[in-house]
């Protein structure tokens, strides 16, 4: 009796083995199984059977392909990669053979791609990348919502209540802006920006220290400070031994706990929209302030995981409603809401950045059209090459792949150059506007940007490569055009439409740039209500140790202004708690003393400033009525105030306000003057109700600032005055730090930096687009002239005057540019609305701007046609005819 | 010149065929190889060798008459050809000479 292998395995074996010998081999296997079973048992035999089967299967697989292998099959396909590499080599060789063509194409692409990548880096850094904190999506900003005002910060008691009563937040931290005088490593006092934060702030935001540690709750009873990395480096040389030791802040020794990480950018100043990063952070204990109506705090919170911003807002709304009824005196009309921190920081930049990105994308399309045109020109000369390739057996797919590889090589090289352009562009942009835009440190060529650049390069290579490749693939081309190298009607039509598209795109950019330029020039010529020239401003901070009492501070300033005005270079000097264009929105409720006090939340709030005697004269405001403050308006004199025209219009529309009185901050004050409106925030905002109080009469209030903003009027150059001012102030007290030396012109430029930023960028894009378009049009026209050499020669030989030849070229140029102009203007008219909110005093459909563009396009056409026309008029009929004959 | 070279396994297979006698079947060839080399030479390897050897003209196969005990299937018998005998002899002589050359050097 023979032993038989298991049925299942035998069944498998029958299917694995070569059909023609399966029965023979199967019986051999059976034999082996039988023999092994006898010797070593069924288990070993089964194992052996399977092993033999495996070896047979392998043999079968290896040997079965071999006899069929023919030479034809081996030729069929080279691996994709190898093919690609050889295509790339071929492309490089052909570009080296025609360096002018390659250089022009690559330069054009590098401008287009460089621009797009630059703008994308900015968009990516500010808008797209998540904030550089731990789980940044959980961070929210708490804000006050009130009808009629944009005031957003909260009071400390309200923040404490939110912290205790919420159901959606992990924790709440508070933040307040302040300043202090710090004595640096060189022994010089300097004024520093201070962020007063609750002890949980750094932990909540989720950042690490570069040295030492951040605050903890047990620090609240001590004087401690965390330095910003930049201050640590600049004032103390990054000295590690400083950590744990003390520095002098406002005359007190304060222990340095640590220094922030150099990548840490405090998000709250960006939320406040003023951007100045704190030089150091100190503690604001949770219990330090229980005035519910003093809303000088910003709340930053971290939501519990999985809780949406909307849910947090609903939670805050619930608490706010309870507070409205619990604290009617202070919280009527106050609602609270939450905004994602990233959203809050990015929102102000969003539309500008995307608009600029869109603009630079149009520029890139123009670059693509130009390169497509270049390739089309080249394609005409390659018709024969392609027919030969085709004849030798290259399929259409193969040829298409090769042509697209060439485009890819162009785009890749252009992209690499573009990265260089972008590197330069990004550095320049960050250099110019880095201090004013949020997250500037995060703008750079990171992996996201590189990926985008790669995608853009591949995308453009298809954009500009497909049309020419398609042209070359048409079999008819080869047959009809072989030898002659004439482009044929359809190529010319394609090229003309590319040019028309280019002009249309450039026109859109011209309109955009024109609108922004007009708006910018209007903003620039706005009357800010004071004299923008010949004024220097700065901020001294008399140390608290030298001037502890408010009266002594008043005395110091009086001395200082007197000393300054003694200098022959200085015409007058004065100071105010906030100067125009400072955008400080400190405001209080005011009402006429002869009218009843308005209910809470219904009064008119007025921007409130303390001012010294010569402030108005120094800044150059003009009085409509009454007089300015004088030295005699001090704390012993009757309470007085000066109002601006907007206040007079609102409260005394048909009366003379002089001699009337108003209540503010619980004090009745007589109006002694009406001063002209000045722009307190940005130049584009309307007049705001503003009241002024003599500095000497503010000693009991928060308006009695230690650091006044000083304005100095001079007859000479204001920026040259800083050293004289410093010397003079130090002659009064050598321990007074001073900062922010700026002319009012500089203040103005700072306020409109965003307008100028977008205007100049858009202008640059439009200018480059115009240049590229001119080159593109010129290329097409001159090609058509060279193509028509023979025809023009014949015409001339038959007696056609040069004039007619020229006019036929001009006609073609003008018909292309005219069509592009019409299409572009139509598009611009349709889409210019997107920049409506960036325009001041100009409609997005401003007739004059739209009317100027055709002239620009005419200039483009003229420039583009100049050289081709010259060439055409120089064609010598005899030579041409002989050449071609 | 194809068919002149003998691989190592091919040589062993040929020798095993010779050793199996006039009616060498694959299973016997395998058994001889396993016994004499001490390693498992799989059927797959043997079939592959035999295929090559037949292609080179070193081995030929013939079918015997159907046997009742093997389900009526015919057995394939392998034989070595005179060419193979010659190649094997040459191979053995070459080895022999090499061996002796080695021994000569080792003497005195």
């Amino acid at each position: 009796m023979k032993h038989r292998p298991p049925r299942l395995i035998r069944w498998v074996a029958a299917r694995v083995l070569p059909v023609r010998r399966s029965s023979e081999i199967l019986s051999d296997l059976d034999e082996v199984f039988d023999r092994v079973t006898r010797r070593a048992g069924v288990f070993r035999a089964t194992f052996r059977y399977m092993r033999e089967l495996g070896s047979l299967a392998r043999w079968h697989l290896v040997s079965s392909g071999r006899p069929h292998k023919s030479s034809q099959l081996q030729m069929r396909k080279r691996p994709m990669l190898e093919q690609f590499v050889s295509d790339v080599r071929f492309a490089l060789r052909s570009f080296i053979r025609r360096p002018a063509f390659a250089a022009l194409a690559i330069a054009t692409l590098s401008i287009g791609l460089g621009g797009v990548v630059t703008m994308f880096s900015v968009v990516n850094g500010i808008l797209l990348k998540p904030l550089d904190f731990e789980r940044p999506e959980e961070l929210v900003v708490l804000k006050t919502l009130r009808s009629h005002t944009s005031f957003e910060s909260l009071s400390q008691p309200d923040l404490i209540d939110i912290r205790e009563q919420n159901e959606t937040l992990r924790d709440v931290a508070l933040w307040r802006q302040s300043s202090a005088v710090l004595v640096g490593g060189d022994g010089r006092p300097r004024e520093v920006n201070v962020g007063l934060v609750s002890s949980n702030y750094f932990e909540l935001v989720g950042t690490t220290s570069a040295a030492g540690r951040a605050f903890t709750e047990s620090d609240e009873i001590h004087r401690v400070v965390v330095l910003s990395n930049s201050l640590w480096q600049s004032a103390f040389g990054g000295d590690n031994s400083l950590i744990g030791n003390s520095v002098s802040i406002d005359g007190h020794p304060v222990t340095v706990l640590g220094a922030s990480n150099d990548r840490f950018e405090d998000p709250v100043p960006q939320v406040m929209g003023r951007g100045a990063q704190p030089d150091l952070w100190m503690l604001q204990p949770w219990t330090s302030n229980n005035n519910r109506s003093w809303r000088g705090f910003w709340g930053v919170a971290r939501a519990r995981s999985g809780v949406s911003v909307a849910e947090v807002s609903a939670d805050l709304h619930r608490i706010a409603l309870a507070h409205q009824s619990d604290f009617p005196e202070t919280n009527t009309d106050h609602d609270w809401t939450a905004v994602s921190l990233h959203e809050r920081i990015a929102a102000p930049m969003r539309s500008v950045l995307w608009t600029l990105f869109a603009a630079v994308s149009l520029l890139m399309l123009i670059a693509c059209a130009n390169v497509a045109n270049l390739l089309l020109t080249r394609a005409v000369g390659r018709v024969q090459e392609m027919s030969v390739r085709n004849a030798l057996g290259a399929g259409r797919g193969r040829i298409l792949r090769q042509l697209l590889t060439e485009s890819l090589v162009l785009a890749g090289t252009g992209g690499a150059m573009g990265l260089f352009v972008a590197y330069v562009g990004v550095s320049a942009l960050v250099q110019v506007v880095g201090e004013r835009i949020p997250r500037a440190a995060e703008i750079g060529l990171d992996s996201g940007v590189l990926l985008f650049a790669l995608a853009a390069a591949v995308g453009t290579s298809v954009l500009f490569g497909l049309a020419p490749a398609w042209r070359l693939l048409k079999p008819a081309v080869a047959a009809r055009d072989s030898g002659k190298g004439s482009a044929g009607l359809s190529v010319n039509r394609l090229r003309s439409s590319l040019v028309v598209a280019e002009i249309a795109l450039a026109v859109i950019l011209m309109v955009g740039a024109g609108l922004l330029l007009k708006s910018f020039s209007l903003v620039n010529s706005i009357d800010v209500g004071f004299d923008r020239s010949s004024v220097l401003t700065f901020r001294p901070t008399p140390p608290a140790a030298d001037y502890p009492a408010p009266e002594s501070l008043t005395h110091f300033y009086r001395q200082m202004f007197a000393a300054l005005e003694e200098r022959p270079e200085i015409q007058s000097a004065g100071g105010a708690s906030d100067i125009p264009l400072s955008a400080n929105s400190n405001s209080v409720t005011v009402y006429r003393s002869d009218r009843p006090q308005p209910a809470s939340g219904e009064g008119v709030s007025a921007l409130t400033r303390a001012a010294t005697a010569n402030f108005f004269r120094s800044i150059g405001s003009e009085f409509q009525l009454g007089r300015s403050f004088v030295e005699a308006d001090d704390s012993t004199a009757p309470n007085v105030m000066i109002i601006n025209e907007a206040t007079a219009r609102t409260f005394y529309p048909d009366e003379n306000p002089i001699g009337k009185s108003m209540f503010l901050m619980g004090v009745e004050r007589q109006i002694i003057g009406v001063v002209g409106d000045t722009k307190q925030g940005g130049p584009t905002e309307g007049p705001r109700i503003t009241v002024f109080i003599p500095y000497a009469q503010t000693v009991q209030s928060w308006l009695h600032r230690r650091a006044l903003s000083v304005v100095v009027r001079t007859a000479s150059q204001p920026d040259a005055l800083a050293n004289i001012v410093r010397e003079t102030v130090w002659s009064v007290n050598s321990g007074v730090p001073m900062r922010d030396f700026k002319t009012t012109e500089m203040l103005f430029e700072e306020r409109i930096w965003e307008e100028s930023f977008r205007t100049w960028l858009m202008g640059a894009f439009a200018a480059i687009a115009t240049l590229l378009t001119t080159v593109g049009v010129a290329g097409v026209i001159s090609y058509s002239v060279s193509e028509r050499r023979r025809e023009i020669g014949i015409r001339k030989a038959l007696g056609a005057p040069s004039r007619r030849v020229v006019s036929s070229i001009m006609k073609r140029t003008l018909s292309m540019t005219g069509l592009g102009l019409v299409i572009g203007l139509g598009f611009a008219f349709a889409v210019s609305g997107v920049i409506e909110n960036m325009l001041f005093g100009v409609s997005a459909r401003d007739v004059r701007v739209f009317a100027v563009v055709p002239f620009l396009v005419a200039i483009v056409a003229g420039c583009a046609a100049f050289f081709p026309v010259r060439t055409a008029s120089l064609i010598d009929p005899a030579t041409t005819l002989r050449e071609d004959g | 010149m194809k068919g002149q070279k003998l691989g190592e396994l091919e040589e062993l297979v040929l020798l095993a065929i010779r050793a199996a006698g006039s009616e060498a079947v694959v299973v016997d060839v395998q058994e001889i190889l396993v016994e004499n080399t001490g390693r498992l030479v799989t059927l797959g390897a043997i079939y592959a060798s035999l295929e090559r050897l037949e292609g080179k003209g070193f081995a030929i196969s013939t079918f015997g008459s159907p046997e009742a005990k093997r389900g009526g299937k015919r057995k394939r018998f392998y034989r070595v050809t005179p060419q193979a005998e010659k190649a094997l002899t040459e191979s053995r002589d070459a080895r022999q000479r090499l061996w002796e050359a080695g021994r000569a050097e080792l003497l005195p």
Side-chain angles (χ1 to χ4, degrees):
Chain A
M1 174 64 201
K2 289 191 68 145
H3 297 278
R4 309 272 299 183
R7 289 269 262 307
L8 179 68
I9 300 181
R10 206 167 182 280
W11 181 85
V12 171
R15 262 132 208 95
V16 168
L17 295 170
V19 181
R20 62 196 163 94
R21 294 177 69 177
S22 72
S23 64
E24 179 196 339
I25 297 170
L26 270 176
S27 61
D28 283 341
L29 278 170
D30 289 350
E31 182 72 27
V32 170
F33 185 84
D34 179 52
R35 290 187 193 179
V36 176
T37 311
R38 284 167 204 277
R39 255 199 330 266
V42 179
F43 181 75
R44 297 288 292 267
T46 309
F47 185 73
R48 170 78 180 274
Y49 189 98
M50 280 159 62
R51 207 173 147 190
E52 296 286 9
L53 186 61
S55 77
L56 286 164
R58 208 153 48 233
W59 161 62
H60 173 48
L61 283 177
V62 170
S63 65
S64 63
R66 207 176 286 151
H68 303 291
K69 227 175 183 181
S70 74
S71 51
Q72 199 186 10
L73 268 170
Q74 269 175 332
M75 258 195 64
R76 194 188 65 203
K77 245 185 188 172
R78 279 191 296 161
M80 262 319 219
L81 186 69
E82 201 179 303
Q83 230 176 64
F84 177 72
V85 169
S86 82
D87 280 356
V88 168
R89 279 215 198 99
F90 181 83
L92 286 175
R93 275 202 306 276
S94 73
F95 293 148
I96 289 167
R97 230 178 294 130
R98 303 194 49 182
F101 157 79
L104 190 55
I106 289 169
T108 308
L109 285 172
S110 64
I111 290 172
L113 284 167
V116 170
V117 172
T118 303
M119 274 321 294
F120 182 78
S121 312
V122 178
V123 166
N124 183 49
I126 298 179
L127 304 182
L128 302 182
K129 264 201 285 189
L131 296 174
D132 192 14
F133 302 125
E134 228 172 275
R135 298 190 307 286
E137 69 284 354
E138 291 174 1
L139 291 172
V140 294
V141 180
L142 311 181
K143 61 183 229 181
T144 296
L145 273 187
R146 279 178 76 193
S147 43
H148 313 306
T149 86
S150 56
F151 198 71
E152 290 182 7
S153 48
L154 292 88
S155 76
Q156 187 160 345
D158 285 344
L159 280 168
I160 292 173
D161 291 348
I162 290 172
R163 192 181 188 212
E164 285 166 359
Q165 296 168 18
N166 79 80
E167 288 160 4
T168 49
L169 298 173
R170 195 167 300 174
D171 202 357
V172 177
L174 58 81
W175 201 106
R176 182 162 82 83
Q177 191 180 36
S178 182
S179 66
V181 176
L182 168 92
V183 179
D186 55 359
R188 277 233 103 97
R190 58 170 85 194
E191 197 199 350
V192 287
N193 289 324
V194 178
L196 289 174
V197 297
S198 52
S199 57
N200 59 345
Y201 179 66
F202 290 105
E203 195 195 331
L204 181 139
V205 170
T207 179
T208 52
S209 310
R213 61 178 178 89
F215 301 119
T216 62
E217 213 171 323
S218 59
D219 291 321
E220 286 198 7
I221 49 168
H222 307 293
R223 285 181 192 274
V224 287
V225 63
V226 170
L227 303 179
S228 74
N229 204 287
S230 64
L231 182 77
W232 185 42
Q233 301 294 341
S234 65
F236 302 103
D239 182 7
N240 259 313
S241 67
L242 192 70
I243 313 296
N245 284 317
S246 64
V247 293
S248 163
I249 296 177
D250 282 342
H252 302 288
V254 180
T255 307
V256 178
L257 283 185
S260 73
N261 170 345
D262 62 347
R263 288 198 332 273
F264 177 66
E265 198 177 32
D266 194 327
V268 180
Q270 298 164 6
V271 168
M272 299 193 309
R274 258 170 271 162
Q277 281 287 307
D279 298 305
L280 51 88
W281 293 269
M282 292 174 75
L283 276 177
Q284 173 79 20
W286 277 105
T287 50
S288 61
N289 184 307
N290 53 12
N291 182 351
R292 212 174 271 279
S293 63
W294 186 43
R295 297 184 162 85
F297 293 89
W298 294 85
V300 180
R302 185 176 278 282
R304 291 185 190 163
S305 58
V307 173
S308 72
V309 176
E311 286 168 308
V312 175
S313 291
D315 193 22
L316 292 175
H317 180 63
R318 173 183 63 80
I319 304 171
L321 285 183
H323 274 63
Q324 284 175 12
S325 48
D326 292 349
F327 305 98
E329 298 220 329
T330 52
N331 286 41
T332 309
D333 188 34
H334 282 76
D335 195 1
W336 296 319
T337 189
V339 190
S340 140
L341 181 61
H342 186 187
E343 171 61 27
R344 185 67 182 73
I345 291 172
M349 302 291 294
R350 179 164 293 134
S351 65
V352 172
L353 291 182
W354 281 121
T355 305
L356 288 172
F357 185 71
V360 84
S361 303
L362 297 185
L363 179 63
M364 197 191 71
L365 285 179
I366 292 175
C368 283
N370 256 0
V371 176
N373 252 333
L374 282 173
L375 282 173
L376 274 174
T377 310
R378 188 162 165 267
V380 172
R382 296 179 72 186
V383 167
Q384 267 186 318
E385 177 198 335
M386 292 306 143
S387 10
V388 170
R389 276 168 182 272
N390 205 352
L392 288 176
R396 296 178 70 172
R398 183 72 192 84
I399 293 181
L400 181 68
R401 215 158 46 234
Q402 191 221 318
L403 291 173
L404 285 183
T405 305
E406 286 178 17
S407 309
L408 204 60
V409 169
L410 275 185
T413 323
M417 304 263 295
L419 274 182
F420 178 72
V421 171
Y423 176 78
V424 174
V426 165
S427 321
L429 267 183
V430 169
Q431 191 78 34
V432 174
V433 296
E435 283 182 11
R436 302 192 175 118
I437 54 176
R439 310 183 70 192
E442 290 171 62
I443 299 171
L445 303 181
D446 60 17
S447 57
V449 173
L450 291 180
L451 262 180
F452 172 82
L454 185 70
V458 173
T460 49
S461 75
V462 173
L463 267 181
F464 67 72
L466 212 51
W470 202 247
R471 263 311 292 164
L472 277 177
L473 284 175
K474 279 196 178 168
V477 176
R480 193 180 60 221
D481 298 337
S482 60
K484 277 276 166 49
S486 143
L489 208 61
S490 70
V491 167
N492 275 337
R493 198 176 299 144
L494 190 54
R495 299 176 49 122
S496 303
S497 17
L498 279 171
V499 165
V500 168
E502 262 182 72
I503 291 170
L505 292 169
V507 163
I508 297 173
L509 285 176
M510 285 177 193
V511 169
L515 290 170
L516 285 178
L517 257 172
K518 185 169 179 193
S519 159
F520 182 66
S521 76
L522 286 175
V523 169
N524 223 344
S525 61
I526 283 174
D527 178 14
V528 288
F530 61 88
D531 188 354
R532 260 161 60 187
S533 63
S534 311
V535 174
L536 179 74
T537 74
F538 68 99
R539 284 205 316 148
T541 311
D546 296 354
Y547 307 98
E551 287 79 9
S552 61
L553 209 53
T554 313
H555 182 68
F556 162 77
Y557 277 117
R558 197 166 285 173
Q559 273 182 307
M560 188 189 87
F561 290 128
L564 283 171
E565 286 181 341
E566 269 173 30
R567 302 294 302 230
E569 301 88 350
I570 295 171
Q571 293 177 333
S572 74
S577 56
D578 296 290
I579 50 175
L581 298 178
S582 65
N584 194 312
S585 56
N586 281 326
S587 54
V588 298
T589 307
V590 294
Y591 58 96
R592 288 174 63 152
S593 58
D594 51 357
R595 301 269 165 89
Q597 178 175 4
S600 167
E602 282 171 22
V604 176
S605 45
L607 296 175
T608 314
R609 274 87 172 93
T612 69
N614 278 341
F615 171 70
F616 298 101
R617 193 151 75 90
S618 304
I619 196 135
S621 293
E622 286 182 5
F623 275 85
Q624 310 298 313
L625 291 167
R627 65 168 175 91
S628 175
F629 298 135
V630 291
E631 297 287 347
D633 294 319
D634 59 14
S635 49
T636 58
N639 289 325
V640 292
M641 66 190 289
I642 289 171
I643 61 174
N644 71 343
E645 280 184 277
T647 319
R649 273 196 304 274
T650 310
F651 287 93
Y652 305 97
D654 305 308
E655 302 165 66
N656 183 347
I658 303 296
K660 305 271 182 357
S661 56
M662 301 185 90
F663 267 104
L664 71 160
M665 296 191 287
V667 178
E668 184 176 2
R669 293 180 177 276
Q670 195 180 31
I671 298 167
I672 57 164
V674 177
V675 75
D677 290 334
T678 48
K679 304 282 184 181
Q680 294 293 319
T684 54
E685 68 177 35
R688 293 171 68 177
I689 294 173
T690 312
V691 299
F692 300 89
I693 304 169
Y695 182 67
Q697 291 183 358
T698 59
V699 281
Q700 295 309 323
S701 77
W702 50 264
L703 271 175
H704 199 76
R705 293 272 176 78
R706 182 163 293 281
L708 279 188
S709 292
V710 175
V711 289
V712 175
R713 171 164 295 277
T714 175
S716 57
Q717 284 296 319
D719 43 352
L721 208 60
N723 281 330
I724 295 171
V725 165
R726 256 191 217 105
E727 273 172 37
T728 315
V729 173
W730 281 337
S731 74
V732 178
N733 181 340
S734 62
V736 176
M738 281 162 275
R739 69 190 300 188
D740 298 345
F741 280 93
K742 282 169 191 164
T743 65
T744 34
E745 189 58 44
M746 284 159 74
L747 282 178
F748 184 81
E749 277 162 15
E750 270 176 25
R751 296 302 302 174
I752 59 167
W753 76 268
E754 203 184 307
E755 282 89 345
S756 67
F757 166 72
R758 63 196 181 210
T759 305
W760 292 123
L761 270 187
M762 187 70 100
F765 295 160
I768 297 169
T770 309
L771 185 70
L772 286 181
T773 306
T774 311
V775 172
V777 177
V780 170
I781 302 294
S782 61
Y783 187 78
S784 80
V785 167
S786 72
E787 206 182 20
R788 288 170 58 201
R789 272 176 78 85
R790 199 151 169 256
E791 178 208 323
I792 293 171
I794 293 171
R795 281 185 185 220
K796 280 192 169 178
L798 293 177
S802 277
R803 187 162 34 86
R804 186 170 301 162
V805 173
V806 168
S807 83
S808 87
I809 294 169
M810 281 311 292
K811 216 190 277 171
R812 182 163 146 70
T813 314
L814 288 178
S815 68
M816 281 194 301
T817 48
L819 187 56
L821 175 69
V822 171
I823 295 173
L825 284 178
F827 265 104
F829 193 77
V831 302
S832 65
V834 300
I835 58 167
E836 182 89 66
N837 60 350
M838 295 180 206
L839 299 177
F840 171 79
V842 184
S843 150
R845 287 166 186 173
D846 188 83
V847 179
R848 277 189 226 168
V849 170
F850 275 80
V852 166
V853 169
F855 287 101
L856 289 174
V857 173
I859 294 172
V860 167
C863 292
F866 179 75
F867 287 102
V869 163
R870 224 171 72 105
T871 317
S873 61
L874 290 179
I875 287 174
D876 174 19
T879 327
T880 326
L881 291 176
R882 217 172 293 131
E883 263 173 17
D884 278 7
Chain B
M1 283 280 102
K2 190 181 167 191
Q4 294 305 308
K5 282 181 199 158
L6 270 182
E8 190 209 349
L9 182 63
E10 288 167 10
E11 195 177 344
L12 291 174
V13 170
L14 285 177
L15 291 168
I17 294 172
R18 283 174 84 251
S22 58
E23 294 193 336
V25 294
V26 170
V27 183
D28 294 333
V29 169
Q30 186 187 31
E31 206 150 76
I32 291 165
L33 282 173
V34 172
E35 276 167 19
N36 288 291
T37 62
R39 61 186 168 110
L40 177 64
V41 182
T42 58
L43 286 179
I46 295 167
Y47 272 115
S49 277
L50 287 171
E51 201 172 62
R52 280 197 301 273
L53 288 169
E54 282 190 276
K56 290 176 185 175
F58 285 141
I60 49 171
S61 58
T62 51
F63 289 100
S65 47
E67 281 176 38
K69 68 166 182 171
R70 291 211 57 173
K73 277 163 197 154
R74 298 194 303 173
K75 271 189 176 175
R76 194 196 283 260
F77 300 121
Y78 287 90
R79 270 191 300 123
V80 299
T81 59
Q83 283 159 271
E85 288 286 352
K86 196 178 159 221
L88 283 171
T89 315
E90 277 171 11
S91 170
R92 188 196 60 196
D93 291 350
R95 280 165 204 257
Q96 192 64 36
R97 281 194 298 277
L98 287 167
W99 273 108
E100 276 160 13
R103 191 177 299 151
E105 245 173 54
L106 284 175
L107 280 173

